[in-house]
Amino acid sequence: MRAVHVFAICAMATMGTTASAQEIDWKKVDEALGRTAAVSGDVHRYGFPRTDLQVTLDGVTIRPTLALGGWAAFKPMHGGAMVMGDLVLLETEINPVMAKLIENGLEVTAVHNHVLRSSPLPFYMHIGGHGDPVKLATAIRTALAESKTPLTPPAPPATPPAVDLDTAQLDQIIGVKGQANGGVYQFAVPRRDPVSENGMQLTPPGPTGVATAIGFQPTGGGKAAITGDFVLTGEEVNPVIKALRENGIEVTAVHSHMLTEQPRLIFMHFWANDDAVKLAKGLRAAIDKTASAKS
């Protein structure tokens, strides 16, 4: 799941950002993490899906792309890069991973649940840091080695899992174009106003974890399990809670992911398994309570 995560950075001019991006040897970062990045703008995002876990919730086996997709995103900054991320861990893995992160200079900005009642119950550790990108990448991999997170990327399936939903109708209701990923139909709904950390905008919002994330996993007969998180300002929290609950969508967590972002953001996680179109309309009602970008 996405998420994001504080880091100390300095404001910089565009030329400085460009120079940093050109100076970074991304191949070495790839090698340190044992995988290649998905690149969006100047952000390199690495996925660490918990393909080793079989997590079930209300009879649904959760796909890694629905709620078990750990990640780390690197963005160039003056003198190196900043990193933010969200690691998916079991309860017994939290302290060993945290110890290695701290030992190697990374920050832990949140530890919490995103879902309820699942077996096993995953936890989510949000991290951040800045400095030499290869050292940051090495620190993350060293920390993940304290867990059972697969350190080699999974082989892609010969045939991508089908998304047996009316995705065109879902696009129309949610108001943005979704995309299929590992059997899940995913949306990223950006906020209208930019989010910044120490004067630097967190862009693109999806890869840096500051866009509302929504996933639909088909469960048969036009139904879908949905989860994700809304990215909210404080005054939006309770209107969105009410909108979700009025539409049969359970609110499963309300918390921060970062420490000093502007504006201050609250992340709200949710869950339901019902008719996909019905749920999309409920999600749209909640989105309408937020300052989201117009489609």
Side-chain angles (χ1 to χ4, degrees):
M1 195 151 301
R2 291 101 56 154
V4 143
H5 325 121
V6 71
F7 37 85
I9 55 177
C10 298
M12 68 194 79
T14 302
M15 289 181 64
T17 304
T18 303
S20 296
Q22 293 172 342
E23 291 166 4
I24 293 174
D25 187 340
W26 291 109
K27 184 177 179 180
K28 289 185 178 179
V29 179
D30 292 352
E31 290 173 351
L33 289 170
R35 63 204 63 215
T36 56
V39 181
S40 301
D42 64 348
V43 172
H44 287 235
R45 177 167 164 141
Y46 298 84
F48 302 98
R50 291 303 301 259
T51 52
D52 60 309
L53 298 179
Q54 292 291 314
V55 177
T56 59
L57 174 52
D58 295 346
V60 177
T61 300
I62 295 176
R63 289 186 178 274
T65 48
L66 182 67
L68 303 173
W71 58 274
F74 290 73
K75 186 176 176 72
M77 60 170 285
H78 183 65
M82 63 182 187
V83 65
M84 60 217 79
D86 184 10
L87 310 180
V88 183
L89 303 171
L90 296 178
E91 183 177 4
T92 56
E93 297 171 339
I94 292 172
N95 280 299
V97 170
M98 183 183 294
K100 287 296 182 181
L101 290 169
I102 295 171
E103 179 183 322
N104 289 288
L106 286 169
E107 294 182 334
V108 175
T109 65
V111 179
H112 47 227
N113 66 292
H114 288 178
V115 295
L116 301 172
R117 301 184 305 280
S118 72
S119 179
L121 179 65
F123 288 83
Y124 301 80
M125 182 180 293
H126 300 273
I127 64 170
H130 71 286
D132 178 85
V134 176
K135 290 183 179 179
L136 294 170
T138 301
I140 292 170
R141 179 155 181 166
T142 299
L144 285 175
E146 297 296 312
S147 73
K148 293 184 178 179
T149 303
L151 295 180
T152 56
T159 303
V163 176
D164 186 20
L165 298 170
D166 187 344
T167 56
Q169 189 172 9
L170 297 181
D171 290 347
Q172 183 179 17
I173 295 168
I174 299 298
V176 298
K177 175 65 176 174
Q179 63 176 10
N181 181 16
V184 175
Y185 200 63
Q186 299 175 331
F187 293 94
V189 183
R191 294 190 59 81
R192 182 172 62 234
D193 300 318
V195 177
S196 64
E197 180 77 13
N198 290 343
M200 185 175 180
Q201 288 190 16
L202 302 186
T203 56
T208 54
V210 291
T212 289
I214 297 169
F216 285 75
Q217 178 179 317
T219 55
K223 292 185 176 182
I226 61 167
T227 193
D229 56 356
F230 279 78
V231 182
L232 306 169
T233 55
E235 64 271 16
E236 295 170 342
V237 169
N238 279 286
V240 170
I241 287 176
K242 291 175 183 177
L244 291 172
R245 288 180 59 84
E246 286 169 358
N247 286 278
I249 299 171
E250 180 182 13
V251 174
T252 58
V254 180
H255 48 225
S256 61
H257 288 179
M258 299 176 284
L259 298 177
T260 59
E261 75 285 354
Q262 292 294 326
R264 184 67 171 141
L265 297 175
I266 304 297
F267 294 76
M268 183 184 298
H269 301 267
F270 56 89
W271 169 264
N273 181 19
D274 204 340
D275 179 79
V277 171
K278 172 188 172 182
L279 294 176
K281 291 177 179 177
L283 291 166
R284 181 69 245 181
I287 292 168
D288 287 342
K289 302 295 184 182
T290 71
S292 296
K294 301 297 182 183
S295 57

